[in-house]
Amino acid sequence: MFDPIEKLKEYVRHPSVSADSKFKDGMIGAQEFLRGLFTNLGFVVDVVPTALHPVIVAKRGVDPSWPHVIIYGHYDVQPPDPLKSWQTPPFEPIVLGNLIFGRGTADNKGPLMVHITAVARLLEKDPQLQLRITFVVEGEEEIGSKNFKYFLKENKHRLAGDLIYMSDNGILAPDQMVVTVGLRGMIAFEIELTGPKSDLHSGIHGGALMNPLQALVELSASLHASDGRVNIPGFYDKVMEPEPWERDQLKDAGLDEKKYGEFLGIKAFHMPPGYTPFEAVRFLPTLEFNGFSGGYQGEGAKTVIPSQASAKITCRLVPIQEPDNVKEMVFAVLRERCPKGVTLKITEQHYTAPYVVIPPGRSNTPKNQPLALANCFRALEKEAAEIWGKPLLYLREGGSVGLLSDLKELLGLDAVMMGLFLPDSNLHAPNENFDLDVMRKGIETSERVLASLAATSPK
């Protein structure tokens, strides 16, 4: 009998931190664990090398008339730091009450184990299950999926499926299934303003030249209007307004603005007019300052005019904004508004496109939506209502997951994202945990959904 909790414990004991080479053995251990697990379930397993960490590909089913589901996950985890803040050892999973604690339990080893268990139970009942299943488990999600796009380009022929099925997203409460249908894209860059060739004495030279810090503040302040809108011409031209059903789903979530404000520790919200804070973080693009630097940062005073000042900036993008187009208009405005007396340098970093998928039966559902994708959504709606006790919610989220746009671009596939971790699962933080009731309901839901897809195969 396949015991998901014991399997998860074994999986978590491998400290697979992709960002730190000291955890090389843990990465290899996680790879070998998955290889053995999938092999024992009857899958053909290939560990595909990349420039850094390999991708695990496990396949079963060869009949081209069967639906083909590609189940995505990642075996790498965040570093455990700060270790002193953990109440239990991060890589020695422990069950306390209804929670299992350990790094990776919620992100993403627990959710992946949900789907592996569902498949194991289905194959135990019916070894000839008429469903092609391919697990694709990468090892670089926590460092930006650096080589995943190259993997997809080189392995397109092996990944010709009907849909992506995954659980690397969250739910609002233990009794409320949420399916994520949209994520924001992002562009990231840094600006650096240079004035004099070296730092200067502010008494001797102050008042005769533009201070790079002042120039940075003036330039940065020009990028927003007082009502919270981004003050760049054309920035909102390609923003896809939310459909009424999307706003209704968000209202049905029962989110409380006062509690949200208390959670954030703020006295007032600040967003463009016409949107609630919950709508703003899902449906609107942003321009955010992530860091400023320049001048003296130590204790006490130092009367200096710095030679340089810089800022780190990210823009979150929504459908149907294009990263290249937004980048060009933002960079053009920065160059145009840069104060005289300083030189502007823009350093591009990474970017990803926004992603959205529309469930069947909505006003804006594509007419040519693939049948298997629609069937998966419908099966989730049916099974979630029975197992979780409430109708599921379709919600966009504010974060960015670049691999989704890569999957869409290179494979032409949309994703069904069944949420499984909770707001207090402590992702990327000490005391990460996974709710075992959610795990059990997730396994039952996934098993039924996959069984329903197999039932659509021609007999």
Side-chain angles (χ1 to χ4, degrees):
M1 185 68 179
F2 193 96
D3 187 332
I5 297 176
E6 291 305 312
K7 292 294 184 185
L8 178 56
K9 287 180 178 180
E10 185 179 349
Y11 192 13
V12 172
R13 289 190 185 105
H14 296 287
S16 48
V17 179
S18 54
D20 190 338
S21 60
K22 294 196 299 289
F23 291 90
K24 179 181 178 180
D25 289 346
M27 293 294 290
I28 295 173
Q31 296 158 23
E32 290 304 311
F33 170 81
L34 289 172
R35 185 207 292 264
L37 191 62
F38 289 132
T39 300
N40 289 337
L41 291 176
F43 281 72
V44 177
V45 185
D46 190 10
V47 181
V48 183
T50 73
L52 188 56
H53 300 302
V55 179
I56 312 298
V57 179
K59 300 175 71 75
R60 62 89 56 195
V62 295
D63 191 324
S65 69
W66 298 353
H68 186 187
V69 179
I70 296 173
I71 301 177
Y72 168 87
H74 62 90
Y75 62 86
D76 64 323
V77 300
Q78 283 282 318
D81 310 77
L83 293 173
K84 291 183 179 180
S85 296
W86 283 82
Q87 297 174 0
T88 63
F91 295 111
E92 184 49 56
I94 295 174
V95 174
L96 297 175
N98 200 44
L99 303 175
I100 181 169
F101 287 83
R103 174 58 86 225
T105 51
D107 184 20
N108 170 252
K109 293 181 176 181
L112 179 62
M113 191 59 64
V114 162
H115 297 302
I116 294 174
T117 306
V119 170
R121 292 181 179 179
L122 283 171
L123 294 178
E124 186 177 20
K125 296 173 183 176
D126 181 8
Q128 306 304 317
L129 184 74
Q130 293 185 328
L131 185 66
R132 287 181 291 161
I133 301 172
T134 299
F135 281 93
V136 176
V137 192
E138 66 158 317
E140 299 179 18
E141 196 277 341
E142 299 294 2
I143 53 175
S145 299
K146 293 181 178 181
N147 294 293
F148 193 62
K149 191 168 187 176
Y150 300 107
F151 160 80
L152 292 176
K153 287 179 179 179
E154 295 173 359
N155 293 273
K156 286 177 62 175
H157 61 288
R158 308 168 67 181
L159 304 174
D162 293 303
L163 70 143
I164 308 295
Y165 189 41
M166 59 183 286
S167 291
D168 199 11
N169 50 293
I171 56 179
L172 301 174
D175 62 347
Q176 178 63 72
M177 167 54 62
V178 173
V179 174
T180 300
V181 292
L183 291 155
R184 294 195 286 193
M186 182 171 64
I187 59 173
F189 58 95
E190 186 170 351
I191 60 174
E192 181 180 84
L193 302 184
T194 302
K197 62 183 180 181
S198 66
D199 291 358
L200 300 174
H201 189 297
S202 64
I204 296 175
H205 302 288
L209 72 160
M210 171 59 78
N211 184 319
L213 274 173
Q214 179 184 343
L216 179 65
V217 171
E218 290 181 6
L219 178 59
S220 299
S222 76
L223 300 178
H224 290 91
S226 59
D227 65 358
R229 289 176 60 86
V230 177
N231 184 29
I232 294 176
F235 190 79
Y236 295 94
D237 285 356
K238 290 189 176 182
V239 170
M240 184 178 79
E241 286 294 322
E243 293 289 318
W245 70 264
E246 290 190 273
R247 283 189 147 134
D248 290 342
Q249 288 275 281
L250 196 50
K251 289 177 183 176
D252 290 344
L255 300 172
D256 187 299
E257 288 191 22
K258 182 179 179 182
K259 290 181 179 178
Y260 184 37
E262 292 172 349
F263 171 77
L264 297 176
I266 60 174
K267 295 182 179 180
F269 292 103
H270 182 64
M271 60 265 173
Y275 294 84
T276 70
F278 305 113
E279 292 174 338
V281 299
R282 289 168 170 83
F283 303 142
L284 288 180
T286 67
L287 187 151
E288 297 290 353
F289 300 102
N290 308 128
F292 283 86
S293 62
Y296 178 63
Q297 304 292 325
E299 185 176 350
K302 182 181 181 183
T303 54
V304 63
I305 296 172
S307 172
Q308 295 178 331
S310 62
K312 296 181 182 294
I313 301 173
T314 51
C315 294
R316 298 285 176 168
L317 312 180
V318 297
I320 50 177
Q321 289 181 303
E322 301 168 353
D324 285 338
N325 176 257
V326 174
K327 180 184 69 176
E328 289 175 6
M329 69 175 66
V330 172
F331 289 3
V333 164
L334 287 168
R335 296 185 180 104
E336 176 187 332
R337 296 180 188 171
C338 181
K340 295 179 180 179
V342 295
T343 302
L344 170 68
K345 177 185 176 183
I346 302 174
T347 302
E348 296 183 37
Q349 293 166 334
H350 56 278
Y351 71 89
T352 183
Y355 175 78
V356 68
V357 59
I358 310 300
R362 268 51 185 189
S363 57
N364 54 338
T365 301
K367 294 181 179 179
N368 60 343
Q369 186 171 72
L371 181 60
L373 180 70
N375 286 340
C376 189
F377 276 124
R378 291 191 181 100
L380 252 178
E381 289 181 8
K382 176 180 180 295
E383 305 305 339
E386 292 183 9
I387 295 169
W388 298 72
K390 293 180 181 179
L392 66 76
L393 295 174
Y394 289 119
L395 300 177
R396 286 199 238 169
E397 293 298 334
S400 303
V401 180
L403 63 93
L404 286 170
S405 57
D406 292 340
L407 289 164
K408 180 67 173 179
E409 175 189 351
L410 296 171
L411 304 183
L413 300 181
D414 278 305
V416 177
M417 294 176 274
M418 185 177 90
L420 286 175
F421 57 73
L422 290 162
D424 54 2
S425 291
N426 290 345
L427 272 68
H428 296 200
N431 305 309
E432 181 179 348
N433 62 84
F434 194 41
D435 187 294
L436 295 180
D437 276 347
V438 170
M439 185 182 194
R440 295 183 188 100
K441 288 188 285 189
I443 292 169
E444 186 176 357
T445 304
S446 186
E447 182 181 352
R448 291 193 193 181
V449 167
L450 293 172
S452 71
L453 289 175
T456 65
S457 296
K459 303 299 181 183

